[in-house]
Amino acid sequence: MKIMAVNAGSSSLKFQLLDMPKETKLVSGVVERIGLQDSIFSMKFNGETHKEIKNIKNHSQAVQMLLSKLVSLHIVSSLDEIQGVGHRVVHGGEMFHDSVIIDDEVIASIESVNDLAPLHNPANITGIKAFKEALPNVPAIAVFDTAFHQTMEPVAYMYSVPYEWYTKYGVRKYGFHGTSHKYVSLRAAAMLDKPLNQTKVIVCHIGNGASLCAVKYGKSMDTSMGFTPLAGIAMGTRSGDIDPAIVQFISEKENKSLDEVISELNKKSGYLGLSGLSSDSRDLWEAVERGDKKSILAVEKQAKMIADYIGAYYLMLGGCDAICFTAGIGENASETRKLVVDRLGALGVELDYEQNLTRGKETVISKPSSNIKLLLIPTNEEVMIARDTLELIG
Ligand code: AMP
């Protein structure tokens, strides 16, 4: 059975067609610059990349183009072969604890939390509607970034602020990257050869966006992102945790609106802000090699924040079996993994420096004598989306 996993952004559409339940990837690709001049359609299939540049007006047109390519390249003999479409949806508020089959009521519920994810949810809905228009009889499923974290208890998700902020406006920690944290914790249990319901792990999803998650017996107990993805550890362009009073202080000093200051915390901070060079980990490590002091500070600051969260989650979980690294940086930047693990000596964690040079492949990167296993686990959100889709339409 063929299932499409979709991640729609405001001007982009990422897709992957999977053969289920084998979980094999048939094609993957992305349409970028939708609605702008010279949109880019690119699709990987059979080791080749098919690229086309033309104006693609909207998501509906992008979906039409994708579907007709699947037929013209004989990836499917007819569109009837696609039996389900799974959509990544960023915010499910407190309503969605799991993936669901999309109907009008679900769309209305997703729209009702649009103000919690004003950039993402409307874009996700655009993707859902575009596929519904093109494949009206194919069931569509929503897989929420927030759902996995709905198992957190109030002591983890409540902020210590006036309680009415929560009851009136839903101000609480929601957490994100849930699909990735869930996938990695499942793989970790398999690598540890332990039942999931006896496994405690800390997942470090470190990509351009980054968050940690404490997972006990398969359930999220706490996570570092918060009400929005701005909280937690320093990221490519996001600050992570800061004293909130800085917002007002900078707004007054620089004569900027709150919107502008928050935008700088989202788009001009983290790696980019401290280094003044780049938000990309590869650029930073090149600069570190040259001895660039601000880049050294940027990567060390992030590693300290990651290690501090690991320490807190280790205590909260009452110990753990494994610490897992995933996403662009976690899977590839052995330098960052080393910086983090160097700070974990008190936990009796020992890195295997040879194994740590591995990139992008499931690997145990700790020494056998290490108190806690260190695992490199490439994430796979598309497989999770396809699994949930298969289960719900099954
Ligand atoms: P993601 O958001 O998960 O796609 O991760 C993006 C981040 O991963 C960027 O900072 C990239 O520089 C980083 N990244 C990807 N590949 C590598 C690599 N081979 N070495 C170091 N960093 C990498």
Side-chain angles (χ1 to χ4, degrees), residues 205-209 236 271 279-283 285 326-335 359 379:
H205 176 113
I206 318 169
N208 191 33
Y271 279 172
S279 63
D280 191 289
S281 137
R282 285 164 286 202
D283 297 340
W285 282 104
T326 195
I329 297 168
E331 291 167 24
N332 294 296
S334 46
E335 305 91 336
R359 290 178 190 271
T379 194

Side-chain angles (χ1 to χ4, degrees), residues 1-6 16 18 20-21 23 82-88 98-102 138-144 179 182 381-394:
M1 177 189 298
K2 295 188 176 73
I3 286 176
M4 184 74 80
V6 180
Q16 217 176 84
L18 294 104
M20 297 298 286
E23 302 192 348
I82 302 172
Q83 298 197 5
V85 182
H87 294 270
R88 176 196 184 208
D98 235 319
S99 305
V100 286
I101 296 186
I102 298 171
V138 178
I141 270 77
V143 180
F144 299 92
T179 313
K182 184 174 177 183
E381 289 160 282
E382 292 79 12
V383 156
M384 287 307 289
I385 292 174
R387 276 184 201 168
D388 282 7
T389 305
L390 180 67
E391 195 182 310
L392 282 167
I393 66 178

Side-chain angles (χ1 to χ4, degrees), residues 202-360:
I202 298 169
V203 180
C204 310
H205 176 113
I206 318 169
N208 191 33
S211 70
L212 273 78
C213 185
V215 188
K216 186 177 181 184
Y217 309 149
K219 295 198 161 85
S220 169
M221 305 300 288
D222 205 349
T223 189
S224 59
M225 282 181 168
F227 177 62
T228 73
L230 183 52
I233 62 166
M235 313 177 204
T237 61
R238 295 191 192 115
S239 61
D241 300 334
I242 62 160
D243 179 341
I246 294 170
V247 176
Q248 187 203 6
F249 182 82
I250 291 298
S251 145
E252 283 171 12
K253 290 283 178 200
E254 297 249 306
N255 199 19
K256 285 182 173 153
S257 68
L258 293 185
D259 262 10
E260 286 171 306
V261 180
I262 294 290
S263 168
E264 293 199 6
L265 291 174
N266 267 307
K267 296 186 180 150
K268 302 230 163 109
S269 300
Y271 279 172
L272 177 64
L274 272 186
S275 73
L277 268 183
S278 171
S279 63
D280 191 289
S281 137
R282 285 164 286 202
D283 297 340
L284 247 59
W285 282 104
E286 258 180 55
V288 168
E289 289 283 300
R290 299 195 301 268
D292 183 74
K293 288 211 170 65
K294 287 182 183 167
S295 299
I296 295 172
L297 177 64
V299 292
E300 286 191 342
K301 178 70 195 177
Q302 186 193 43
K304 177 183 181 323
M305 292 172 97
I306 297 170
D308 291 350
Y309 266 99
I310 291 175
Y313 289 169
Y314 179 85
L315 275 185
M316 197 194 71
L317 292 171
C320 69
D321 302 294
I323 298 166
C324 315
F325 293 92
T326 195
I329 297 168
E331 291 167 24
N332 294 296
S334 46
E335 305 91 336
T336 291
R337 293 194 298 257
K338 179 176 178 302
L339 269 193
V340 172
V341 178
D342 280 350
R343 290 180 169 270
L344 304 178
L347 302 181
V349 177
E350 294 176 55
L351 185 66
D352 181 325
Y353 294 104
E354 276 294 300
Q355 291 300 329
N356 186 44
L357 297 177
T358 315
R359 290 178 190 271

